[in-house]
Amino acid sequence: MTTSVLVPASLTREAEDKREATRKVGYVARAATVFRVDRLTVYPDSDGVEKRGAGFVETVLRYAATPPYLRKEVWDRRGELEYAGVLPALRQRSRTGSGSDESGSLRQGIVTEVGADGRVRVNCGLQHPVSLPVPSEMEVGEGERVSVRVSSRRPVRAKLVDEPAAGFVVDSAEIDDALARPDAGLTIAASRYGEELTVTKLDQLVARLRGGDDGGTSGDGSGGSDDTDASDDEAAPGDLTVAFGAPERGLPPILGEDPEAVAAETGDDRFDLWLNTVPDQGSEVVRTEEAVFATLAPLRLTR
């Protein structure tokens, strides 16, 4: 099961300074960690004014996704990271539930040296880089990130494994390309103009995400039909992609859609559902980082 979140490069467009902009990106990274998002994709927003540069959001997200014990190894001094110290600690848990410092934990590492004897030296946050044999089914190169299963710290016992480490990956893509991925699954556009999330609607969505009866949810709020399209056949039950807009510039303007058409369910058909997860909102604007928390929380529920 893959959970993907799409955010615009203009995510911090209204932040007063770089410090506040960094903090906003950090809250998105925090939400991605709390709700076990697998992929954070930054999509371009050419008309959104981003005074810090189009690459600011992606750079800060990549830094936040890097384990603290590898940041010095991976990142040089960069202007985008001037206020990286305000980023909230993610404290990612491994998929197996063991903490990052416990015996048997799965850690990220950086290959610092490739030897001629089928071994590599890996910096995985232990006191010193460790020399590890490369499994026959794996190929690794210098500078590559790998997963290391640490079974003992004193003495060090570890091995390279072909498993994803805890946390999320960060990439950039056009929004249409991201929605066309084989693992996109159920695609949701988070918008105040979408269909309001109710207990009944949530039950239908959870049923569909868990591989049960979709309850007729396909097409709601997007102008589509109730038939499951081909992309859903390729996706595993539970695959989910949720797209968010920018502060004071939601998804309809970014996608060139009329908000009224979206509200009338006759607008953009790229999504299975346009969904309003903050019905009757009390503030004029729900910030993107707030919307990520508000949207992912109910969608992670089980029946």
Side-chain angles (χ1 to χ4, degrees), residues 233-291:
D233 292 337
E234 299 174 4
D239 285 346
L240 171 69
T241 297
V242 187
F244 296 89
E248 300 182 353
R249 180 175 163 77
L251 273 174
I254 291 177
L255 298 177
E257 281 291 318
D258 180 0
E260 298 303 322
V262 170
E265 302 184 11
T266 59
D268 194 292
D269 60 358
R270 280 173 278 196
F271 298 93
D272 294 317
L273 175 67
W274 283 77
L275 189 65
N276 177 4
T277 55
V278 191
D280 194 27
Q281 64 189 55
S283 61
E284 293 183 2
V285 175
V286 174
R287 296 168 180 170
T288 305
E289 64 272 24
E290 296 168 338

Side-chain angles (χ1 to χ4, degrees), residues 194-253:
E195 179 180 355
E196 291 189 354
L197 181 62
T198 62
V199 173
T200 300
K201 171 58 66 177
L202 179 59
D203 189 54
Q204 294 171 349
L205 289 173
V206 170
R208 179 171 178 178
L209 287 170
R210 301 297 174 258
D213 186 343
D214 66 12
T217 61
S218 178
D220 287 351
S222 66
S225 69
D226 286 343
D227 295 329
T228 302
D229 50 29
S231 62
D232 285 342
D233 292 337
E234 299 174 4
D239 285 346
L240 171 69
T241 297
V242 187
F244 296 89
E248 300 182 353
R249 180 175 163 77
L251 273 174

Side-chain angles (χ1 to χ4, degrees), residues 40 130 167 185 188 244:
L40 262 175
V130 292
I188 294 177
F244 296 89

Side-chain angles (χ1 to χ4, degrees), residues 25-278:
V25 176
Y27 288 148
V28 172
R30 178 72 178 163
T33 301
V34 169
F35 298 109
R36 292 194 183 277
V37 169
D38 300 288
R39 181 196 295 125
L40 262 175
T41 296
V42 181
Y43 66 86
D45 176 16
S46 57
D47 293 333
V49 178
E50 179 50 80
K51 55 190 174 185
R52 276 160 285 275
F56 177 84
V57 172
E58 183 180 354
T59 297
V60 177
L61 282 176
R62 287 184 182 276
Y63 179 87
T66 303
Y69 54 82
L70 291 180
R71 287 175 179 172
K72 185 176 181 180
E73 179 80 29
V74 176
W75 295 94
D76 296 324
R77 291 183 177 274
R78 300 186 57 164
E80 299 97 321
L81 302 175
E82 181 180 0
Y83 291 102
V86 305
L87 290 171
L90 302 187
R91 298 179 62 85
Q92 296 164 337
R93 298 181 64 193
S94 73
R95 299 283 173 174
T96 59
S98 60
S100 60
D101 293 324
E102 295 179 7
S103 176
S105 64
L106 189 64
R107 301 171 68 85
Q108 287 189 40
I110 296 289
V111 176
T112 59
E113 183 181 343
V114 177
D117 57 353
R119 300 181 70 89
V120 293
R121 291 184 67 81
V122 180
N123 178 359
C124 57
L126 302 179
Q127 187 173 3
H128 303 287
V130 292
S131 177
L132 301 173
V134 180
S136 58
E137 69 275 11
M138 292 180 63
E139 293 185 8
V140 298
E142 186 172 337
E144 186 174 342
R145 297 196 194 192
V146 293
S147 294
V148 178
R149 177 71 67 181
V150 179
S151 57
S152 173
R153 296 173 66 90
R154 293 184 181 180
V156 174
R157 294 191 180 93
K159 62 180 180 179
L160 293 179
V161 292
D162 188 15
E163 301 177 41
F168 54 87
V169 298
V170 180
D171 65 7
S172 60
E174 295 287 342
I175 196 166
D176 287 344
D177 294 336
L179 294 174
R181 288 167 172 158
D183 61 359
L186 178 66
T187 56
I188 294 177
S191 171
R192 65 185 300 177
Y193 299 102
E195 179 180 355
E196 291 189 354
L197 181 62
T198 62
V199 173
T200 300
K201 171 58 66 177
L202 179 59
D203 189 54
Q204 294 171 349
L205 289 173
V206 170
R208 179 171 178 178
L209 287 170
R210 301 297 174 258
D213 186 343
D214 66 12
T217 61
S218 178
D220 287 351
S222 66
S225 69
D226 286 343
D227 295 329
T228 302
D229 50 29
S231 62
D232 285 342
D233 292 337
E234 299 174 4
D239 285 346
L240 171 69
T241 297
V242 187
F244 296 89
E248 300 182 353
R249 180 175 163 77
L251 273 174
I254 291 177
L255 298 177
E257 281 291 318
D258 180 0
E260 298 303 322
V262 170
E265 302 184 11
T266 59
D268 194 292
D269 60 358
R270 280 173 278 196
F271 298 93
D272 294 317
L273 175 67
W274 283 77
L275 189 65
N276 177 4
T277 55
V278 191

